[in-house]
Amino acid sequence: CLCLAVLPPSRNAAIPQLFGIPMDRAIKHHKRIGRLFYAFVCIHVVCMLAGGTEKGPVTWSKSFNLNEHNLWPGVVAFAAWTGQYVTSLPWFRRHHFEHFYFLHLNFMFVGNMFTIFHNRFRAVVWVIPAFAFFWLDFGVRWYTKMCKKASIVEYEIVDENLVKLVVRREGFPGAAFDFHPGSYIWLSVDVPADKRSEYMRDDIIGPPAFPVNVPSWVWFHPITVSSFNPETSHLTLFIKRFAGADRRGDGLDEWSGQLVHTMKAVRDAKMKLEDVRVHIGGPHGNLQVDPASCDHVVLCAGGIGVTPMAAILEDRVRGAKSGAIKPGSKTTLVWTTRSSAEVAAFSYLFAAIAELDEKTRSSFDVRVHLTGGAKADPETATQSVKSVVAMATGRPDFDAVVAGCVAEGKANKVGVYVCGPEALSDAAEAAALRRGCLVHRETFEF
């Protein structure tokens, strides 16, 4: 299990490509295998406690010897694996991603080393290959991120909690890294050292007695690519502030909140755009279900989960213009959001659909549901979505949406793509599975 758990998150490995596994799905397998590994570790400990920890020459008082079993390193290894499991739980991972990533790697190192000390003969044959594979992949990742120049081409403050970035990276696209709808990048952001006290601040890790400041450029965050311009090779990103932990009391501890704050400083001329330095890894990832093979593509999104759906929709519009998509195929977008500003931010997609000829335009069905809240302004949103979008209030009935798509005579193969809050994703996925549709569900819960 230990060796298998290392393979899925290795982003430059050939394993996902050989088996056609998208990166987000590989992460899901990584979590499952990791939980299974920890379950086996717990069973091992329980069996030892039930049967007695000392057996024959293996005693607690025996001096350390790598050629024999050692008991006390097993205790340290168990503590490390327990720490890794606890800090990988969803609440900690989502609210403290930098700490999760740092601790995940370090607990892995400590757990592996002391597992070898505990039982070298049985552990080393699995630990050494896993370590070698991981660090080889890790080195490739850092080379592609740090040695390829990247920059922000333009930006837009969409609203108080959402920023749009257009970025480019040297050597992209290339043979090793190309763009596909559903791709994402790893992004880190940094500012000059004299501005880090206010913008993109160093993150503090470690216990309060021994705090360690780590600069923001060290931390890479997964960001979905919502648009790709094949003429300029520019990538468009939408980054929404996540309400994470707030130790300083100013609401800017979380990385995405600091990024929004930094871009506002650029807007207000407190900083130059070129002072905001970025490093990019990837793009990585692909889709479990190829939209080109579907007769009807149904995109179900909630909130900022529209970003991967926007990439798919843009690709479908581009294919409709060039005649590259399957004749007679249809595309439906069902997007639930609380913010009319978000709708306005993606109006470039709706404008592209409006520019199509009438016959081609009829193959696209876009429905936007505003679900209340102070930011849901139907009149403002309607101005930005042209005449191609059906606006509604309240939550969509995904069962009825999918049933309607399946009922169409030409829709022999329906692909449903889902990204958004868990409740929305569960409802859309369940509706699709009940009717035998192909399903791709985004699982970016790193």
Side-chain angles (χ1 to χ4, degrees):
C1 283
L2 176 60
C3 189
L4 291 175
V6 173
L7 294 178
S10 300
R11 290 180 284 280
N12 300 295
I15 301 298
Q17 284 81 359
L18 286 175
F19 292 96
I21 303 174
M23 183 58 199
D24 59 296
R25 191 66 58 178
I27 291 294
K28 194 170 186 177
H29 294 318
H30 168 68
K31 291 190 287 186
R32 288 174 173 172
I33 296 171
R35 290 165 187 158
L36 182 62
F37 167 72
Y38 184 67
F40 283 144
V41 170
C42 291
I43 292 172
H44 173 72
V45 171
V46 170
C47 290
M48 283 191 65
L49 294 175
T53 57
E54 295 185 347
K55 188 175 182 180
V58 182
T59 62
W60 289 100
S61 58
K62 183 178 69 67
S63 59
F64 178 74
N65 187 342
L66 263 179
N67 293 317
E68 298 179 0
H69 292 75
N70 301 279
L71 291 176
W72 66 266
V75 176
V76 179
F78 179 64
W81 297 127
T82 300
Q84 186 181 56
Y85 174 78
V86 171
T87 56
S88 298
L89 294 174
W91 183 89
F92 188 89
R93 187 175 66 246
R94 287 180 59 82
H95 288 77
H96 308 279
F97 183 84
E98 292 89 349
H99 296 74
F100 149 73
Y101 188 71
F102 176 81
L103 292 172
H104 205 67
L105 295 182
N106 283 276
F107 278 135
M108 181 188 73
F109 177 79
V110 173
N112 278 311
M113 291 305 299
F114 279 86
T115 298
I116 292 176
F117 295 157
H118 176 55
N119 186 348
R120 177 174 69 89
F121 301 101
R122 296 191 177 182
V124 74
V125 295
W126 298 108
V127 172
I128 296 302
F131 255 73
F133 187 88
F134 173 82
W135 288 111
L136 175 63
D137 180 78
F138 191 82
V140 173
R141 275 188 266 160
W142 273 91
Y143 169 76
T144 58
K145 291 173 181 175
M146 306 304 296
C147 296
K148 298 290 186 179
K149 292 182 180 179
S151 61
I152 300 175
V153 178
E154 60 182 88
Y155 74 97
E156 177 187 347
I157 307 298
V158 177
D159 67 14
E160 290 300 305
N161 296 311
L162 181 65
V163 64
K164 172 185 175 181
L165 299 181
V166 179
V167 300
R168 63 183 172 193
R169 199 199 74 168
E170 181 184 68
F172 174 80
F177 296 100
D178 200 357
F179 174 78
H180 306 280
S183 296
Y184 67 95
I185 65 170
W186 287 88
L187 178 71
S188 79
V189 182
D190 190 25
V191 296
D194 61 334
K195 297 183 181 296
R196 287 180 187 162
S197 61
E198 187 174 359
Y199 309 105
M200 302 313 299
R201 296 182 298 210
D202 295 352
D203 198 48
I204 303 173
I205 61 175
F210 304 100
V212 178
N213 288 352
V214 182
S216 61
W217 63 265
V218 173
W219 305 114
F220 284 83
H221 292 253
I223 306 295
T224 301
V225 178
S226 61
S227 178
F228 170 65
N229 188 329
E231 296 180 359
T232 61
S233 298
H234 292 171
L235 302 169
T236 299
L237 318 171
F238 286 90
I239 302 171
K240 188 173 184 178
R241 178 180 177 273
F242 177 75
D246 185 14
R247 291 165 296 173
R248 294 183 175 95
D250 56 9
L252 297 175
D253 264 354
E254 206 278 325
W255 179 84
S256 58
Q258 291 190 47
L259 177 57
V260 173
H261 181 56
T262 299
M263 299 316 298
K264 287 179 181 177
V266 175
R267 178 197 62 188
D268 299 337
K270 297 178 181 179
M271 190 187 308
K272 296 180 180 179
L273 181 61
E274 52 266 30
D275 288 338
V276 184
R277 300 185 294 269
V278 295
H279 299 285
I280 294 173
H284 299 285
N286 58 354
L287 299 170
Q288 186 79 6
V289 180
D290 183 7
S293 67
C294 298
D295 298 296
H296 199 141
V297 173
V298 184
L299 310 173
C300 304
I304 201 61
V306 75
T307 50
M309 304 304 145
I312 299 173
L313 181 59
E314 180 183 58
D315 187 67
R316 300 284 289 179
V317 172
R318 192 177 291 135
K321 287 182 178 179
S322 64
I325 64 174
K326 184 185 297 187
S329 62
K330 297 195 66 175
T331 305
T332 297
L333 169 67
V334 182
W335 179 20
T336 303
T337 178
R338 295 174 60 86
S339 172
S340 56
E342 289 181 4
V343 179
F346 288 91
S347 60
Y348 66 94
L349 285 172
F350 312 135
I353 296 174
E355 292 173 359
L356 298 172
D357 62 79
E358 186 176 352
K359 182 179 179 181
T360 306
R361 189 167 61 245
S362 64
S363 66
F364 290 88
D365 180 10
V366 180
R367 314 174 194 180
V368 175
H369 292 254
L370 291 172
T371 56
K375 295 184 178 181
D377 181 358
E379 292 186 4
T380 303
T382 303
Q383 296 173 6
S384 67
V385 299
K386 309 293 183 180
S387 59
V388 300
V389 180
M391 298 294 298
T393 56
R395 301 185 183 279
D397 182 351
F398 287 111
D399 206 57
V401 170
V402 176
C405 295
V406 172
E408 295 182 5
K410 296 181 180 180
N412 299 318
K413 187 176 181 182
V414 178
V416 179
Y417 302 78
V418 183
C419 186
E422 187 174 0
L424 179 146
S425 297
D426 287 345
E429 184 178 23
L433 293 176
R434 277 195 296 268
R435 286 164 177 79
C437 301
L438 299 174
V439 179
H440 172 84
R441 176 170 174 170
E442 293 287 314
T443 52
F444 289 124
E445 295 182 2
F446 289 82

